[in-house]
Amino acid sequence: MTEHLLKAIAGIIDSDTISEKKPSQVSPFLRLAVAVFTIILCACSGNAVFVITVLTVELLRLAFLPAERMTHVLKRLALPVIFTMLIMLPAVFLGHQSTMLTVTLKVAESVLILLLMNERLSWKEVTGVFSEIHLPSVITMTLDTTVRFLVMLGRLASRIHEAYLLRSFGHRNDRRRMSAAGGILGTVFLKSSRLSQESFEAMLCRGFNGTYRRVDGHKFSVWDTGYLVLVPVLVIFFIITQRAL
């Protein structure tokens, strides 16, 4: 129980490949907008043809990823899909098998779109999108700081947990492990308080005035044109499939 709890905390960590991601060839704002728009269309669709078609295209995109990243995406996709199937399982016994299938497909499609988008966009580009849509700087700063702190604290919890396991090799006392988990969580909490205070002081020393500026912009490219064309194609295909009901 203790090990799973600490691994869940450490699971907040996003892979270090975030810093290794190349700048997106497509406008981050356009990529995010199309992804959200596609998810909304799939959620509103009453025909499985549209959902299955979009899911098929997303699976083809997944197939072009490196094997390591493909495995990473599939592992993260499996949990919400299995959870949805379990939640919708009573519908099968009530004679609504198609409902379970439809909802599961929609969840798989939505999660897969977000996972593939995450493979292409770095967190810095996502926060840049927040600036483009004129989201208040305080909200952008809060989200950005929260994610960065969760990454740091997740790594800290993972390292402390690993150190504890190495030093308690051969001991299987659950009460002792639970006590150790409380100590680790307490250490992480104290570290978070110290980090927040240090960040506040650093922002004061650097003259932060509440403006959250973007690092760089994105120039319009041919890839952006392709994404713009994709929007009317999705709408037309959605209308055609809904009329077929």
Side-chain angles (χ1 to χ4, degrees), residues 107-127:
V107 171
E109 173 271 336
S110 301
V111 175
L112 184 57
I113 287 179
L114 295 177
L115 290 175
L116 290 178
M117 185 185 66
N118 181 63
E119 291 296 316
R120 299 296 183 182
L121 293 181
S122 65
W123 179 247
K124 180 181 68 174
E125 290 174 321
V126 174
T127 55

Side-chain angles (χ1 to χ4, degrees), residues 16 19 32 57 88 119 136 141 188 196 205:
D16 290 337
S19 59
L32 181 61
V57 174
M88 298 302 299
E119 291 296 316
M141 183 193 67
V188 172
S196 63
C205 292

Side-chain angles (χ1 to χ4, degrees), residues 21 23 29 32 46 91 109 144 147 170 194 209 214 216 223:
K21 290 179 182 177
F29 171 76
L32 181 61
E109 173 271 336
D144 190 18
V147 170
R194 186 160 59 251
N209 60 357
R214 295 177 57 195
D216 51 9
W223 296 98

Side-chain angles (χ1 to χ4, degrees), residues 1-241:
M1 178 69 179
T2 304
E3 295 178 12
H4 292 300
L5 175 62
L6 294 175
K7 286 181 180 179
I9 297 174
I12 296 171
I13 307 172
D14 198 356
S15 60
D16 290 337
T17 52
I18 289 181
S19 59
E20 300 173 1
K21 290 179 182 177
K22 298 179 181 179
S24 176
Q25 294 178 325
V26 182
S27 168
F29 171 76
L30 191 57
R31 187 186 291 273
L32 181 61
V34 172
V36 174
F37 182 67
T38 305
I39 292 174
I40 293 175
L41 288 182
C42 287
C44 297
S45 176
N47 192 325
V49 175
F50 182 83
V51 179
I52 293 175
T53 303
V54 174
L55 183 59
T56 302
V57 174
E58 295 302 319
L59 290 175
L60 289 176
R61 290 180 57 197
L62 177 64
F64 285 98
L65 292 179
E68 180 181 356
R69 303 310 304 166
M70 186 189 306
T71 304
H72 179 69
V73 170
L74 289 176
K75 286 182 179 179
R76 298 172 68 182
L77 177 64
L79 182 60
V81 172
I82 294 175
F83 181 75
T84 303
M85 293 179 65
L86 293 176
I87 291 296
M88 298 302 299
L89 191 59
V92 177
F93 301 102
L94 295 175
H96 301 284
Q97 295 87 348
S98 60
T99 302
M100 175 184 175
L101 180 61
T102 302
V103 174
T104 303
L105 287 175
K106 288 184 178 183
V107 171
E109 173 271 336
S110 301
V111 175
L112 184 57
I113 287 179
L114 295 177
L115 290 175
L116 290 178
M117 185 185 66
N118 181 63
E119 291 296 316
R120 299 296 183 182
L121 293 181
S122 65
W123 179 247
K124 180 181 68 174
E125 290 174 321
V126 174
T127 55
V129 173
F130 295 156
S131 299
E132 287 186 20
I133 62 177
H134 303 290
L135 197 69
S137 297
V138 64
I139 298 179
T140 304
M141 183 193 67
T142 301
L143 290 174
D144 190 18
T145 305
T146 300
V147 170
R148 294 182 187 276
F149 275 14
L150 288 177
V151 170
M152 297 173 64
L153 296 175
R155 288 172 180 166
L156 176 64
S158 180
R159 291 170 183 170
I160 297 177
H161 180 224
E162 183 178 357
Y164 169 74
L165 291 180
L166 291 175
R167 295 180 181 180
S168 60
F169 180 76
H171 296 282
R172 290 292 178 181
N173 191 325
D174 291 337
R175 181 176 298 180
R176 181 179 177 182
R177 288 191 172 191
M178 187 60 67
S179 176
I184 295 174
L185 294 176
T187 302
V188 172
F189 174 76
L190 294 176
K191 180 66 175 179
S192 66
S193 299
R194 186 160 59 251
L195 283 175
S196 63
Q197 182 63 29
E198 291 174 355
S199 299
F200 174 73
E201 293 174 355
M203 292 167 68
L204 287 180
C205 292
R206 295 178 182 180
F208 181 72
N209 60 357
T211 303
Y212 205 84
R213 295 186 177 87
R214 295 177 57 195
V215 177
D216 51 9
H218 175 84
K219 296 182 180 179
F220 192 83
S221 64
V222 178
W223 296 98
D224 295 332
T225 305
Y227 261 69
L228 288 175
V229 173
L230 182 61
V231 174
V233 171
L234 283 171
V235 173
I236 293 174
F237 184 63
F238 177 80
I239 295 175
I240 292 175
T241 55

